[in-house]
Amino acid sequence: MTCATSRTLLLSQGYEPIKVISWQRAITLLTLGKVEVVEEYDTDIRAVSLIIKIPAVVRLLRGFRRHAKPVKFSRVNIYARDGYKCQYCGVRCSVAELTYDHVVPRARGGKTTWENIVTCCYPCNGAKGSRTPTEAGLRLRVAPARPTWVPSVTIRVSTRSVPDAWRDYLYWTGEIEHDDLEG
Ligand SMILES: [Zn+2]
């Protein structure tokens, strides 16, 4: 087993990264019914009566609260704010089927901010291209805004060793820092 698949990313109920745990701990939480598996590695674990994949990302099934920190601007927090729904067609998608869209295109000076980024499915993203919603004949369901309800913790992990399965759940560039696990 490689080092990269021996660690599991623990998410809150709201898909916010909380900390990095060992896969053994993840299995314990799973057998206790405290988490569900969100992503898994290709590596099998053989137990007495079953073979399962090593969990890469697990999510707490009960609430986890921390107070009074601003919500981190991250891909997963954008998806959480938007309920994992494309903000143009309204379809709820898995993380793998979602991307994000600059409402005002970057080429027109649109910023990468809470107020200008929305969750988007790939078909709508392709249809919109680098046009405004009006030009593309699309309508936003809700005007994007900075959320106040997602508790926030920065996870620091080595950029060299972040498993691919974690990437959608970690913060955008600049928030993943060096060599420091278990925040
Ligand atoms: Zn869509």
Side-chain angles (χ1 to χ4, degrees), residues 66-123:
R66 294 201 193 183
H67 301 290
K69 282 193 177 178
V71 179
K72 289 282 183 205
F73 184 62
S74 73
R75 183 186 288 262
V76 72
N77 283 348
I78 295 275
Y79 294 167
R81 179 196 66 183
D82 295 342
Y84 292 78
K85 287 180 185 160
C86 172
Q87 294 299 288
Y88 296 110
C89 69
V91 172
R92 193 172 202 280
C93 297
S94 70
V95 167
E97 296 165 326
L98 289 173
T99 183
Y100 58 89
D101 178 62
H102 286 78
V103 178
V104 176
R106 267 180 299 185
R108 311 274 190 86
K111 300 240 164 61
T112 305
T113 60
W114 285 113
E115 294 78 13
N116 194 49
I117 293 278
V118 294
T119 303
C120 191
C121 71
Y122 283 97

Side-chain angles (χ1 to χ4, degrees), residues 6-8 20-29 54-55 182:
S6 66
R7 293 175 301 150
T8 301
V20 177
I21 58 178
S22 68
W23 68 264
Q24 292 91 339
R25 177 73 183 142
I27 296 291
T28 302
L29 291 172
I54 292 182
E182 299 273 355

Side-chain angles (χ1 to χ4, degrees), residues 15 46 154:
Y15 293 89
R46 283 156 208 282
T154 302

Side-chain angles (χ1 to χ4, degrees), residues 132-163:
T132 66
T134 310
E135 287 169 354
L138 294 168
R139 239 187 105 173
L140 275 176
R141 309 246 141 182
V142 182
R146 172 183 295 273
T148 53
W149 47 266
V150 183
S152 193
V153 185
T154 302
I155 286 201
R156 291 155 173 265
V157 289
S158 165
T159 47
R160 291 186 301 277
S161 63
V162 174

